[in-house]
Amino acid sequence: MGRVTVRKPVLKLTTRGERTRPDVLAAEEPLEIRVGGRALAVTMRTPGHDVELAHGFLLSEGVLGSREDVRTARYCDSVDDHGRNTYNVLDLALAEGVPAPDTGVERNFYTTSSCGVCGKAALDAVKLKTRFAPGGSEFALTADLLAKLPDQLRARQKVFDATGGLHGAALFDASGELLVVREDVGRHNAVDKVLGWALLEGRVPLPGAGLLVSGRASFELVQKAAMAGLPMLAAVSAPSSLAVELAEENGITLVGFLRGESMNIYTRDERVLRH
């Protein structure tokens, strides 16, 4: 799996004794995203699908609206102690006429693998208005199909199988098909990767799809869904109070505790068909 995983020795203790053996860990490395040569964001991510990640991040920040908004994306010269390219700096050149993002003091784009909005000054500073309002979407699917999605996602999380340490995100359609699956040490990075895939495939906005995440539903993940025009966000774990409020504001169906045959529908329940 290349740079996606790392093997390290570990001392394993059990009731039968102890032994040293190699363990497979999910890789975590910094990615610096630059726009027009200017540093914009640093995120701790699992290497792979970096171009998608950068596109998805800029989509969710309101900078991009289509794949044509980016002219080029290339890795910059960032070398390690042995002079080898680390592939940890990615520079995107915006197309002519696309405004560069504002990196004023109100917004600090440093992110971590655990919390994408850490460091942003205040709630008013992080709330963004989407150009693809999802509230009017007629997207819907049955509760039976929705209940099967977490198992489908889990079955396609190859790196999770090896490490047990990655979040998963997927886009799904009304027939219950997973359109794309991505993994990362960061919840928000996994989501940015699937959104970046959709942007590069010319599928944004996404009024006919939903977003599935393997963990909890945070404020930021609801915001990312809204910025891509997604009318549904389904999470295996719990939502936060702000996530529910933001979903309601944007007309997004928010589903939590999607496990087995049960689920909690917090907003716009008409999109989950019961019969």
Side-chain angles (χ1 to χ4, degrees), residues 184-266:
D184 201 276
V185 288
R187 285 185 300 270
H188 63 288
N189 287 337
V191 170
D192 282 342
K193 287 177 179 180
V194 299
L195 297 186
W197 172 87
L199 190 76
L200 289 166
E201 290 291 315
R203 293 174 176 252
V204 174
L206 290 154
L211 173 63
L212 173 68
V213 295
S214 62
R216 62 185 178 86
S218 64
F219 165 89
E220 188 189 32
L221 297 192
V222 174
Q223 179 162 270
K224 288 179 182 293
M227 297 301 284
L230 283 159
M232 183 178 291
L233 169 59
V236 171
S237 192
S240 68
S241 61
L242 279 178
V244 174
E245 290 176 19
L246 190 63
E248 193 167 26
E249 288 177 18
N250 283 277
I252 293 173
T253 300
L254 180 59
V255 179
F257 294 105
L258 182 59
R259 301 169 184 173
E261 297 300 316
S262 67
M263 65 193 76
N264 291 349
I265 307 173
Y266 295 87

Side-chain angles (χ1 to χ4, degrees), residues 2-13:
R3 295 172 63 212
V4 177
T5 60
V6 178
R7 297 178 71 86
K8 295 288 185 181
V10 60
L11 177 64
K12 185 173 180 65
L13 304 180

Side-chain angles (χ1 to χ4, degrees), residues 3-4 45-53 75 183-184 193:
R3 295 172 63 212
V4 177
R45 99 299 189 194
T46 300
H49 304 290
D50 290 337
V51 174
E52 291 178 354
L53 192 162
Y75 287 102
E183 297 179 274
D184 201 276
K193 287 177 179 180

Side-chain angles (χ1 to χ4, degrees), residues 20-259:
T20 300
R21 65 175 182 83
D23 193 27
V24 180
L25 306 177
E28 183 175 28
E29 296 181 15
L31 175 68
E32 179 179 307
I33 299 173
R34 297 179 182 176
V35 174
R38 185 174 65 175
L40 177 68
V42 177
T43 186
M44 300 302 297
R45 99 299 189 194
T46 300
H49 304 290
D50 290 337
V51 174
E52 291 178 354
L53 192 162
H55 279 73
F57 174 77
L58 292 175
L59 167 66
S60 64
E61 291 295 339
V63 178
L64 305 181
S66 72
R67 60 186 175 185
E68 287 77 21
D69 289 342
V70 175
R71 183 161 46 87
T72 60
R74 64 179 184 86
Y75 287 102
C76 300
D77 293 332
S78 173
V79 298
D80 60 17
D81 295 338
H82 303 286
R84 296 172 299 198
N85 195 327
T86 64
Y87 297 98
N88 284 337
V89 180
L90 188 67
D91 191 10
L92 280 73
L94 300 180
E96 186 176 354
V98 178
D102 178 15
T103 55
V105 294
E106 299 83 12
R107 299 179 67 80
N108 173 9
F109 283 101
Y110 174 75
T111 63
T112 72
S113 59
S114 61
C115 178
V117 297
C118 296
K120 291 185 178 180
L123 186 59
D124 287 344
V126 298
K127 272 195 174 181
L128 299 171
K129 184 173 178 59
T130 178
R131 67 180 84 180
F132 306 124
S137 169
E138 297 181 359
F139 176 79
L141 78 166
T142 66
D144 289 342
L145 286 174
L146 190 57
K148 295 174 182 176
L149 293 180
D151 287 343
Q152 293 184 48
L153 173 60
R154 177 67 182 81
R156 289 174 60 177
Q157 286 188 256
K158 296 180 180 179
V159 186
F160 183 91
D161 286 338
T163 66
L166 286 183
H167 295 281
L171 295 176
F172 59 91
D173 64 17
S175 70
E177 179 185 354
L178 297 187
L179 305 175
V180 62
V181 172
R182 293 289 181 263
E183 297 179 274
D184 201 276
V185 288
R187 285 185 300 270
H188 63 288
N189 287 337
V191 170
D192 282 342
K193 287 177 179 180
V194 299
L195 297 186
W197 172 87
L199 190 76
L200 289 166
E201 290 291 315
R203 293 174 176 252
V204 174
L206 290 154
L211 173 63
L212 173 68
V213 295
S214 62
R216 62 185 178 86
S218 64
F219 165 89
E220 188 189 32
L221 297 192
V222 174
Q223 179 162 270
K224 288 179 182 293
M227 297 301 284
L230 283 159
M232 183 178 291
L233 169 59
V236 171
S237 192
S240 68
S241 61
L242 279 178
V244 174
E245 290 176 19
L246 190 63
E248 193 167 26
E249 288 177 18
N250 283 277
I252 293 173
T253 300
L254 180 59
V255 179
F257 294 105
L258 182 59
R259 301 169 184 173

